[in-house]
């Protein structure tokens, strides 16, 4: 299993970024996926999740109304569109795969997932 995130960077407050996570080594279309982030000096925070078909999405309080999770199963890719970014969104963003098919994990703990990407840094600053 390999998960490779990209799309992070430095953005001004109010700006947007689109993160991507390319998956390989498993049948991506059969797994719900999640985004989890870790801000400097803070614990992991679950951000968003999406079911295997892409027709059900879930968001943590910090992401509601600003972030949109999506996926393209033909490209084995998970996305996170982030709008109206705030300095408190500064974090390393990880995509994560659960152990079981057909579920969407809404949990920030490392043990809740089978695999994690290496993360992509998002910095929101003027």
């Amino acid at each position: 299993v390999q998960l490779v995130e990209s799309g992070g960077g430095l953005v001004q407050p109010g700006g947007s970024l689109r993160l991507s996570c390319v998956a390989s080594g498993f049948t991506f279309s059969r797994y719900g996926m999640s985004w989890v982030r870790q801000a400097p000096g803070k614990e992991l925070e679950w951000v968003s999740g999406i079911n295997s078909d892409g027709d059900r999405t879930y968001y943590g309080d910090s992401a509601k109304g600003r972030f949109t999770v999506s996926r393209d199963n033909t490209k084995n890719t998970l996305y996170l569109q982030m709008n109206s970014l705030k300095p408190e969104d500064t974090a390393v963003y990880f995509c994560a795969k659960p152990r079981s098919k057909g579920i969407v994990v809404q949990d920030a703990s490392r043990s809740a997932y089978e695999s994690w990407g290496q993360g992509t840094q998002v910095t929101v600053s003027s």
Side-chain angles (χ1 to χ4, degrees), residues 56-70:
R56 294 187 179 182
T57 57
Y58 307 87
Y59 299 94
D61 288 342
S62 62
K64 287 178 182 176
R66 300 187 299 126
F67 294 2
T68 302
V69 62
S70 62

Side-chain angles (χ1 to χ4, degrees), residues 2 8 14 29 31 37 39 61 84 87-88 94 97 111 118 120 122:
Q2 189 172 21
S29 61
Y31 287 83
R37 71 185 184 183
D61 288 342
S84 302
E88 51 264 43
F94 302 92
K97 171 192 173 293
S111 62
Q118 85 289 349
T120 186
V122 171

Side-chain angles (χ1 to χ4, degrees), residues 40-111:
K42 296 188 176 181
E43 297 190 353
L44 290 166
E45 176 188 8
W46 179 78
V47 175
S48 181
I50 186 168
N51 71 337
S52 57
D53 291 336
D55 58 356
R56 294 187 179 182
T57 57
Y58 307 87
Y59 299 94
D61 288 342
S62 62
K64 287 178 182 176
R66 300 187 299 126
F67 294 2
T68 302
V69 62
S70 62
R71 65 192 294 161
D72 185 340
N73 286 344
T74 67
K75 296 181 179 180
N76 286 355
T77 302
L78 175 72
Y79 302 100
L80 185 67
Q81 176 67 44
M82 304 187 296
N83 299 328
S84 302
L85 283 162
K86 305 174 182 179
E88 51 264 43
D89 294 316
T90 295
V92 178
Y93 285 72
F94 302 92
C95 62
K97 171 192 173 293
R99 291 181 176 79
S100 300
K101 302 173 187 176
I103 63 170
V104 179
V105 175
Q106 301 183 42
D107 191 318
S109 60
R110 286 200 172 272
S111 62

